[in-house]
Amino acid sequence: MTPPPAPVRDAPTGPRASPRSLSGLWPFVRPYRARVALALLFLLGAAAATLALPLALRTLIDQGLVAAQPGERVMALRTHFWTLFAVAGALGVFAALRFYSVTWLGERITADVRNAVYAHVIRQSPAFFETTRTGEVLSRLTTDTTLVQTVIGSSLSMGLRNGLMGLGALVMLIVTNPYVMAQVLAILALVVVPALAFGRRVRRLSRASQDRVADASAIAGEVLNAIPVVQSHGQEAREAARFARATEAAFDTARRRTRMRALLIAFVIVATAAALLWGLYQGTQAVLAGRISAGHLGQTVVYVILLVSSVAVLSEVYGDVLRAAGATERLMELLSARSAIASPAQPRPLPPVSGGSAVALEGVEFRYPSRPDTAALLDFTLHVRPGETVALVGPSGAGKSTVFQLLLRFYDVQRGRVLLDGVPVQAADLHALRQRIGLVPQDSVIFSTNALENIRYGRPDASDDEVIAAAQAAFADDFIRALPQGYHTFLGERGVRLSGGQRQRISIARALLQNPPLLLLDEATSALDTHSERMVQAALEAAMRNRTTLVIAHRLSTVQRADRIVVMDHGRIVETGTHAELLARGGLYARLAAMQFAADGPAPA
């Protein structure tokens, strides 16, 4: 039995997101270990140059100003200023190299994460998308990866640099003023406990803030993909208000997170500054008492400034790291989602066929993961011979489209077997299985590219002539050539520049170009007018030759020439036969035909 995947967006929003969550990025960092080591080397150089500045300043004050003769004093000052300039130059070079290296790493790793998440998500079974909204996934691919890039490419580097500088400054202060700094450290220890409490609250709010942004993105994605429906019902104001409520919820959560981060920053800076100013006061008293020199005090002042500024930067970086940790956790949730539909470790090869594939569904029972209490198919058995055309007919919800989804192995059955050319679909390689099947769905999908590439999607290596031949077979060539740039005309997002019938014919041409031994037509002529339907029906009849075809149609006029009509109801087969045989029996098919032909006119002979 196929278990439903856990809903991704229901992940806990508690204190799980900690800096440790960033360890999930290690597989993406590992390939660039050499560049990471180089960036750390540049970072160490920049930190060392910064820590050397106070030492050069102390030497300038204590030695450059002590010469008795003005000329000697000028020469000494010139030497010490050149030393200061050399240190500053080294700092500039190392800082620039660090910035480039770290920024490159941030951009590269973020691109790898984004590619990995996207490639993983599009391989998930339809069951995954029954519980995960597309807008949620898009939010993680954009907002969350941007947060990760900010931390890896900027904040983490700043944090490491300031951590090293702060630690170095602290060590130097302890070495030069051990007694005073012992008091300062005792005071600083009191800062840690409240800061940790603030940090936990920030972590929770960071994760909640990202979830609220994802909610708004999901609403926007859903509505923008249904603009004609929204506008035709006059619901623009309502949808704008719904989006506004979602963004306000995101803003409110972000406001609380920002307020908590601001309090954390203020507390850390004020408490640290108070402790260090106490130490600085003790230093000035030591100068007045003659225990240390003026240069020593100047060095101490600069180290205190470095330490305080480092703590201030670290407090801000820590908030960014917490946000990135929450984003990383959400991305890792997507990467950890495992699809129940995957190729077996040792797939069985599909045998070569000519004249169409053999299809068999034997004793199938299937329930959708989102509707486990309702059987979509129950004790369903169907055998289709190679080259045979079988029409599936029945009321909505009878299970017709489910048959197609099981053949394509979008889902696995809970009981029974589904076979293609004698091989169970679960034992076949997934790509090879789907390459053997051509699908013309009820809702034609048109990609944001030109007509040529939309048709070529069925076989990416096809030549332009083959694409045009497929379009001609689907009676799409005339209207495509009438477009402004012909086959190179951009069709708009979701094919908005085409009519429904034109989109359907593009979809049919795509399937014909693939030239599969098994063709699945799901209401393939539903969007066509009578004239177009006749043309496409003739093209489809030609395409059905030498291949197996399964047809789903509510319009019974499109299935009358099928070799066999299978009538379904509530997931079971209730009748099988030709159009004439089923009419003569007076069963469900006859009732459906009577209702339809009563509306459309007399049934054809």
Side-chain angles (χ1 to χ4, degrees), residues 8 79 87 143 165 175 230 249 266 280 350 356 377 402 413 496 538 545 564 569 583 591:
V8 170
T79 300
V87 173
T143 306
M165 288 197 311
V175 170
V230 173
L280 187 58
L350 292 167
L377 293 178
T402 301
V413 299
V496 294
R545 298 189 188 116
R564 186 159 42 115
D569 191 24
L583 285 180
R591 292 196 298 274

Side-chain angles (χ1 to χ4, degrees), residues 4 30 52 63 78 88 155 234 248 283 290 295 320 355 391 433-434 439 452 455 458 471 491 501 507 526 530 540 589:
R30 189 184 298 118
Q63 299 179 17
R78 183 179 298 174
S155 299
E248 281 301 311
D320 290 337
L433 172 75
R434 292 172 180 171
L439 173 67
L452 196 70
I455 298 174
L491 300 183
S507 182
S526 62
T530 303
L540 288 176
Y589 182 85

Side-chain angles (χ1 to χ4, degrees), residues 376-380 398-399 566-575:
L377 293 178
L378 193 61
D379 194 24
F380 186 90
V566 174
V567 185
M568 299 176 59
D569 191 24
H570 294 96
R572 298 176 183 270
I573 296 176
V574 294
E575 293 179 304

Side-chain angles (χ1 to χ4, degrees), residues 446-447 449-451 454 483 489-493 495-498 506:
I446 303 298
F447 297 97
T449 183
N450 59 40
N454 260 289
L483 295 172
T489 302
F490 177 70
L491 300 183
E493 185 175 4
V496 294
R497 301 181 67 177
L498 301 177
I506 292 282

